Amino acid sequence: MLDPQLLRKDLSSVVSALARRGVTFDTARFEALEARRKAVQVETENLQARRNAVSKLIGQLKSRGEDASKEMAESQAIPDKLKELEHALSGIQAELNGWLMTIPNLPHPSVPEGASSDDNVEVRRWIPGESDANGNPAPLAFEPLDHVTLAERFGLDFESARKLAGSRFMMLRGHAARLHRAMAQFMLDLQTETHGYTECYTPYIVNSSTLYGTGQLPKFKEDMFWVTKGGHDHSVDEHGNPIEHEDLYLISTSEITLAGSMRDTITPVADLPIKLTAHTPCFRSEAGSGGRDVRGVIRQHQFDKVELVQITHPDESYAALDDMVQHAESVLQKLKVPYRVMLLCDGDMGFGAAKTYDIEVWLPAQNTWREISSVSNCEAFQARRLQARYRPEKGKPEYLHTLNGSGLAVGRALVAVVENYQQEDGSVIVPDVLRPYMGGLERL
């Protein structure tokens, strides 16, 4: 959520920054809410001052033996008026917060301007073998097959998944399932043993408060899978009153649970940074994405991902962002899969991001680069929603910065390995770093 204090102090800069993202900020609405808020606060302060003055006057009248009934009646009415003003102020604040929940983060000044992925800027590329005249990996010596044709030979099964759940699900059997597991285990071991992340096991179902905190709600509600319970829940509290339950959702990324675990916390500054990772399934209904990547593993309703999250001091978050990009890159370097790093323009960034790098792998069958990881600094945007703060050595608690990134999407990594390691006979060489996880198997 945007900082209300920044809106009050420098509204014009916020409006300009949001315009870069194609968002028109309703300044008239904000100024109207601010005017109402100030009016209520002024009335509250005046009434509090009056209460003090009346209380003092009552004491003076009584000390002189004079009638104070009128003043006492006024004093007794003030608390009710103050409660009314408090309620009014809460309503204004709720309206402002609810509105700000729908406004995206401000882009960092270093983010390039642009409207779409066409305006993203390539930072670097890494190609372990030879390159062609365009700087892309040299073509294979034979006509490449796509990952579906290749992996169906050793266990990729869409037909069974379609019977079980419908389109955009997959079932893996045998070597395909083991390769998928090997990918995830390799990524977790690399991130925990080499880069210092703490492995976590998290819930796959979360309440709506968590999703509001991390920024998926309210904007992306239609892209989430909602969870309902069977039967009727008649839970009551200790007083016998019915308990109102929040809506529940399947997670679309473990960023939600890892960053969400910081909700309503104050962390000692000495404990920063906090580095967390988790391997979880992710569930996305992908509302409105029909027609894109409908063949194969690239875009599924259920997929696995090893997520990286860092919780940092604000002064350290951009150094952490650079580190996290390198942590994701290291997976592909050890797999020896070609990739490039792209700095996203402001029009192509995610809702909560202030700055984002995408990592794209080379897919020979498509003869193009495809995104496999997105690493973002959200600055205090999530932390403000989550009320996640740190306690400096001196002074009041301040908001943390949160960062998240894929390290990596497991299914897409499988696609990249299968296509880049394919042989002319349709077999697939197992990368060296995965063989210990595959029982020494060298070829699929």
Side-chain angles (χ1 to χ4, degrees):
M1 188 171 70
L2 299 183
D3 183 359
Q5 291 299 326
L6 179 61
L7 285 164
R8 290 165 188 148
K9 293 178 180 178
D10 195 0
L11 180 59
S12 61
S13 68
V14 174
V15 171
S16 297
L18 289 173
R20 290 176 53 190
R21 300 197 63 163
V23 175
T24 301
F25 188 79
D26 190 343
T27 56
R29 180 181 180 184
F30 178 74
E31 289 170 348
L33 282 169
E34 272 297 281
R36 287 167 52 195
R37 180 188 65 84
K38 290 178 180 178
V40 171
Q41 286 187 330
V42 168
E43 187 175 355
T44 299
E45 292 167 0
N46 290 340
L47 194 57
Q48 289 170 336
R50 178 59 184 166
R51 177 186 57 190
N52 295 336
V54 170
S55 177
K56 183 177 181 180
L57 179 58
I58 290 172
Q60 292 173 343
L61 290 171
K62 286 185 175 182
S63 67
R64 297 197 298 266
E66 298 178 19
D67 181 19
S69 57
K70 179 180 177 182
E71 287 74 14
M72 291 181 65
E74 181 183 358
S75 177
Q76 291 170 357
I78 288 176
D80 288 339
K81 292 181 180 178
L82 286 173
K83 285 183 179 180
E84 290 177 7
L85 291 170
E86 182 181 358
H87 180 73
L89 187 60
S90 296
I92 294 168
Q93 195 62 52
E95 182 180 350
L96 176 62
N97 288 343
W99 176 34
L100 292 182
M101 285 283 190
T102 69
I103 306 297
N105 203 356
L106 305 181
H108 189 268
S110 64
V111 171
E113 293 189 29
S116 70
S117 59
D118 293 336
D119 302 308
N120 295 339
V121 177
E122 182 173 333
V123 177
R124 57 184 171 271
R125 63 178 61 187
W126 188 88
I127 299 173
E130 296 182 358
S131 301
D132 63 15
N134 297 316
N136 295 325
L140 299 178
F142 53 89
E143 186 67 26
L145 301 175
D146 73 0
H147 69 278
V148 176
T149 303
L150 290 162
E152 281 181 338
R153 300 177 181 182
F154 55 85
L156 175 61
D157 179 1
F158 287 114
E159 185 57 34
S160 294
R162 191 174 295 111
K163 293 176 184 177
L164 293 168
S167 62
R168 295 200 182 183
F169 291 92
M170 69 177 177
M171 189 166 183
L172 300 175
R173 304 175 188 272
H175 289 324
R178 187 166 189 178
L179 180 62
H180 189 269
R181 173 164 56 91
M183 291 275 194
Q185 188 64 59
F186 159 65
M187 294 174 193
L188 282 175
D189 288 349
L190 177 63
Q191 302 303 347
T192 56
E193 295 172 9
T194 303
H195 300 139
Y197 290 83
T198 298
E199 182 177 351
C200 302
Y201 174 82
T202 81
Y204 301 161
I205 297 173
V206 294
N207 54 36
S208 56
S209 296
T210 300
L211 292 169
Y212 275 100
T214 52
Q216 281 71 28
L217 293 182
K219 182 174 177 60
F220 300 108
K221 185 173 184 177
E222 298 305 317
D223 288 328
M224 306 292 296
F225 280 105
W226 310 347
V227 179
T228 57
K229 296 180 181 179
H232 300 283
D233 193 335
H234 299 294
S235 303
V236 295
D237 62 19
E238 65 273 20
H239 304 296
N241 301 314
I243 297 175
E244 184 176 340
H245 293 279
E246 291 186 67
D247 293 336
L248 299 174
Y249 299 80
L250 291 170
I251 61 170
S252 56
T253 167
S254 56
E255 168 205 341
I256 293 167
T257 45
L258 296 176
S261 68
M262 303 301 298
R263 177 178 163 195
D264 297 325
T265 61
I266 300 177
T267 302
V269 70
D271 291 348
L272 300 176
I274 297 172
K275 301 166 68 174
L276 307 174
T277 186
H279 166 222
T280 67
C282 306
F283 304 89
R284 298 183 186 179
S285 68
E286 305 270 21
S289 64
R292 293 188 299 167
D293 306 317
V294 294
R295 175 175 168 81
V297 179
I298 295 294
R299 193 174 296 275
Q300 298 274 290
H301 290 318
Q302 175 185 318
F303 60 96
D304 280 39
K305 186 151 62 83
V306 172
E307 185 73 1
L308 307 176
V309 164
Q310 287 204 33
I311 315 296
T312 75
H313 188 284
D315 294 344
E316 305 297 330
S317 66
Y318 278 96
L321 177 63
D322 292 339
D323 288 344
M324 289 179 68
V325 174
Q326 293 175 11
H327 296 162
E329 287 181 75
S330 67
V331 176
L332 295 171
Q333 289 178 5
K334 291 183 178 298
L335 290 172
K336 298 182 180 178
V337 172
Y339 69 87
R340 66 179 186 177
V341 179
M342 306 293 291
L343 174 58
L344 268 55
C345 69
D346 41 28
D348 196 37
M349 288 196 305
F351 180 80
K355 187 173 183 177
T356 298
Y357 292 96
D358 273 4
I359 301 175
E360 299 177 346
V361 291
W362 179 256
L363 299 184
Q366 296 185 19
N367 195 41
T368 192
W369 303 94
R370 302 304 300 266
E371 184 245 318
I372 195 171
S373 175
S374 188
V375 185
S376 299
N377 187 354
C378 297
E379 296 185 354
F381 187 82
Q382 284 182 328
R384 190 171 288 108
R385 298 164 76 112
L386 290 165
Q387 288 299 297
R389 295 172 290 171
Y390 72 95
R391 189 182 301 281
E393 295 179 358
K394 296 181 180 180
K396 297 179 180 179
E398 299 178 17
Y399 289 112
L400 293 157
H401 279 195
T402 65
L403 303 94
N404 65 81
S406 304
L408 305 163
V410 180
R412 293 192 179 193
L414 185 148
V415 170
V417 164
V418 167
E419 291 204 6
N420 282 281
Y421 278 84
Q422 64 178 294
Q423 304 300 299
E424 191 169 5
D425 63 359
S427 64
V428 175
I429 300 296
V430 177
D432 291 343
V433 294
L434 295 182
R435 291 178 185 179
Y437 302 96
M438 295 289 291
L441 191 65
E442 297 181 1
R443 185 185 294 259
L444 303 174

